CSV table of all heavy atoms in Angstrom, one decimal:
chain,number,residue,atom,x,y,z
F,12,GLN,N,88.2,77.9,137.1
F,12,GLN,CA,88.3,76.8,136.2
F,12,GLN,C,88.4,75.5,137.0
F,12,GLN,O,89.1,75.4,138.1
F,12,GLN,CB,89.5,76.8,135.3
F,12,GLN,CG,89.4,77.9,134.2
F,12,GLN,CD,88.3,77.6,133.2
F,12,GLN,OE1,88.0,76.4,132.9
F,12,GLN,NE2,87.7,78.6,132.6
F,30,THR,N,91.7,72.1,145.3
F,30,THR,CA,92.2,73.3,145.9
F,30,THR,C,91.1,73.8,146.9
F,30,THR,O,90.0,73.9,146.6
F,30,THR,CB,92.4,74.4,144.8
F,30,THR,OG1,93.3,73.9,143.8
F,30,THR,CG2,92.9,75.7,145.4
F,47,SER,N,96.3,65.0,146.2
F,47,SER,CA,95.9,64.6,144.8
F,47,SER,C,94.4,64.8,144.6
F,47,SER,O,93.7,65.1,145.6
F,47,SER,CB,96.3,63.1,144.5
F,47,SER,OG,95.6,62.2,145.4
F,119,GLY,N,80.5,54.8,159.7
F,119,GLY,CA,80.4,55.9,160.6
F,119,GLY,C,81.4,55.9,161.7
F,119,GLY,O,81.6,54.9,162.4
F,120,TYR,N,82.2,57.0,161.8
F,120,TYR,CA,83.3,57.0,162.8
F,120,TYR,C,83.2,58.3,163.6
F,120,TYR,O,82.9,59.4,163.1
F,120,TYR,CB,84.7,57.0,162.1
F,120,TYR,CG,85.1,55.6,161.7
F,120,TYR,CD1,84.7,55.0,160.5
F,120,TYR,CD2,86.0,54.8,162.4
F,120,TYR,CE1,85.0,53.8,160.1
F,120,TYR,CE2,86.4,53.6,162.0
F,120,TYR,CZ,85.9,53.0,160.9
F,120,TYR,OH,86.3,51.8,160.5
F,167,ILE,N,63.8,52.2,155.3
F,167,ILE,CA,62.7,52.7,154.5
F,167,ILE,C,63.2,53.2,153.2
F,167,ILE,O,64.3,53.8,153.1
F,167,ILE,CB,62.0,53.9,155.3
F,167,ILE,CG1,61.6,53.5,156.7
F,167,ILE,CG2,60.9,54.5,154.5
F,167,ILE,CD1,61.1,54.7,157.5
F,184,LEU,N,64.1,67.8,153.9
F,184,LEU,CA,63.6,68.3,152.6
F,184,LEU,C,64.1,67.4,151.5
F,184,LEU,O,65.2,66.9,151.4
F,184,LEU,CB,64.1,69.7,152.4
F,184,LEU,CG,63.6,70.8,153.3
F,184,LEU,CD1,64.2,72.1,153.0
F,184,LEU,CD2,62.1,70.9,153.3
F,246,LEU,N,62.3,85.3,145.0
F,246,LEU,CA,63.4,85.6,144.1
F,246,LEU,C,63.6,84.5,143.2
F,246,LEU,O,63.6,83.3,143.6
F,246,LEU,CB,64.7,85.9,144.9
F,246,LEU,CG,65.9,86.2,144.1
F,246,LEU,CD1,65.8,87.5,143.3
F,246,LEU,CD2,67.1,86.3,145.0
F,282,SER,N,68.0,92.2,152.0
F,282,SER,CA,67.7,93.6,151.7
F,282,SER,C,66.3,93.9,152.1
F,282,SER,O,65.4,93.2,152.0
F,282,SER,CB,68.0,94.0,150.3
F,282,SER,OG,67.6,95.3,150.0
F,309,GLU,N,98.2,75.9,121.7
F,309,GLU,CA,97.2,74.8,122.0
F,309,GLU,C,95.8,75.4,121.7
F,309,GLU,O,94.9,74.5,121.8
F,309,GLU,CB,97.3,74.5,123.5
F,309,GLU,CG,98.6,73.8,123.9
F,309,GLU,CD,98.7,73.6,125.4
F,309,GLU,OE1,98.0,74.3,126.1
F,309,GLU,OE2,99.5,72.7,125.8
F,316,PRO,N,84.3,80.0,110.5
F,316,PRO,CA,83.7,80.2,111.7
F,316,PRO,C,83.0,79.0,112.3
F,316,PRO,O,82.5,78.2,111.5
F,316,PRO,CB,82.7,81.3,111.4
F,316,PRO,CG,83.2,82.0,110.1
F,316,PRO,CD,83.9,80.9,109.4
F,335,THR,N,82.2,62.6,91.8
F,335,THR,CA,82.3,61.4,91.0
F,335,THR,C,82.0,60.2,91.8
F,335,THR,O,82.5,59.1,91.5
F,335,THR,CB,83.7,61.3,90.3
F,335,THR,OG1,84.6,61.3,91.4
F,335,THR,CG2,83.9,62.5,89.4
F,380,SER,N,57.4,51.9,106.9
F,380,SER,CA,56.2,52.6,106.5
F,380,SER,C,55.1,52.6,107.5
F,380,SER,O,54.1,53.3,107.4
F,380,SER,CB,55.6,51.9,105.2
F,380,SER,OG,55.2,50.6,105.5
F,383,TYR,N,54.8,54.1,113.3
F,383,TYR,CA,55.3,53.8,114.7
F,383,TYR,C,56.2,54.9,115.1
F,383,TYR,O,57.1,55.3,114.3
F,383,TYR,CB,55.9,52.5,114.7
F,383,TYR,CG,56.5,52.1,116.1
F,383,TYR,CD1,55.7,51.5,117.1
F,383,TYR,CD2,57.8,52.4,116.4
F,383,TYR,CE1,56.2,51.3,118.3
F,383,TYR,CE2,58.4,52.1,117.6
F,383,TYR,CZ,57.5,51.5,118.6
F,383,TYR,OH,58.0,51.2,119.8
F,387,THR,N,59.6,58.4,123.6
F,387,THR,CA,60.7,59.2,124.2
F,387,THR,C,60.4,59.6,125.7
F,387,THR,O,61.2,60.2,126.3
F,387,THR,CB,60.8,60.5,123.4
F,387,THR,OG1,59.6,61.3,123.4
F,387,THR,CG2,61.2,60.2,121.9
F,394,ASN,N,65.2,46.5,133.3
F,394,ASN,CA,64.7,45.1,133.6
F,394,ASN,C,65.2,44.2,132.5
F,394,ASN,O,65.1,44.4,131.3
F,394,ASN,CB,63.2,45.1,133.5
F,394,ASN,CG,62.6,46.0,134.6
F,394,ASN,OD1,63.0,46.0,135.8
F,394,ASN,ND2,61.6,46.8,134.2
F,401,PHE,N,69.4,33.5,125.4
F,401,PHE,CA,69.6,32.3,124.5
F,401,PHE,C,69.2,31.1,125.3
F,401,PHE,O,69.4,31.1,126.6
F,401,PHE,CB,71.1,32.3,124.1
F,401,PHE,CG,71.4,33.1,122.9
F,401,PHE,CD1,71.5,34.5,123.0
F,401,PHE,CD2,71.5,32.5,121.6
F,401,PHE,CE1,71.8,35.2,121.9
F,401,PHE,CE2,71.7,33.3,120.5
F,401,PHE,CZ,71.9,34.6,120.6
F,427,CYS,N,80.3,40.8,116.5
F,427,CYS,CA,81.6,40.3,116.1
F,427,CYS,C,82.4,40.1,117.4
F,427,CYS,O,82.2,40.8,118.4
F,427,CYS,CB,82.3,41.2,115.1
F,427,CYS,SG,82.8,42.8,115.8
F,477,ILE,N,89.2,43.4,105.2
F,477,ILE,CA,87.9,43.8,105.5
F,477,ILE,C,87.0,43.1,104.5
F,477,ILE,O,87.4,42.9,103.3
F,477,ILE,CB,87.7,45.3,105.4
F,477,ILE,CG1,88.1,45.9,104.1
F,477,ILE,CG2,88.4,46.0,106.6
F,477,ILE,CD1,87.9,47.4,104.0
F,529,HIS,N,70.2,39.6,92.1
F,529,HIS,CA,69.0,38.8,91.7
F,529,HIS,C,69.3,37.7,90.8
F,529,HIS,O,68.4,37.1,90.1
F,529,HIS,CB,68.0,39.8,91.1
F,529,HIS,CG,67.6,40.9,92.1
F,529,HIS,ND1,66.9,40.7,93.2
F,529,HIS,CD2,67.9,42.2,92.0
F,529,HIS,CE1,66.7,41.8,93.8
F,529,HIS,NE2,67.3,42.8,93.1
F,630,ASP,N,90.3,56.0,130.8
F,630,ASP,CA,90.5,56.9,132.0
F,630,ASP,C,89.3,57.1,132.8
F,630,ASP,O,89.2,58.1,133.6
F,630,ASP,CB,91.1,58.2,131.5
F,630,ASP,CG,90.1,58.9,130.5
F,630,ASP,OD1,89.0,58.3,130.2
F,630,ASP,OD2,90.4,60.0,129.9
F,654,THR,N,89.7,51.1,132.5
F,654,THR,CA,91.1,51.3,132.7
F,654,THR,C,92.0,50.6,131.7
F,654,THR,O,93.2,50.9,131.6
F,654,THR,CB,91.5,50.9,134.1
F,654,THR,OG1,91.2,49.5,134.4
F,654,THR,CG2,90.8,51.7,135.2
F,662,VAL,N,74.7,57.1,122.5
F,662,VAL,CA,73.6,58.0,122.9
F,662,VAL,C,72.3,57.3,122.5
F,662,VAL,O,72.2,56.8,121.4
F,662,VAL,CB,73.8,59.4,122.4
F,662,VAL,CG1,72.6,60.3,122.8
F,662,VAL,CG2,75.1,60.0,122.8
Side-chain angles (χ1 to χ4, degrees):
Q12 290 290 332
T30 306
S47 61
Y120 280 81
I167 301 173
L184 293 177
L246 177 66
S282 172
E309 293 175 340
T335 60
S380 66
Y383 178 84
T387 59
N394 301 312
F401 277 78
C427 67
I477 56 177
H529 301 292
D630 57 1
T654 58
V662 181

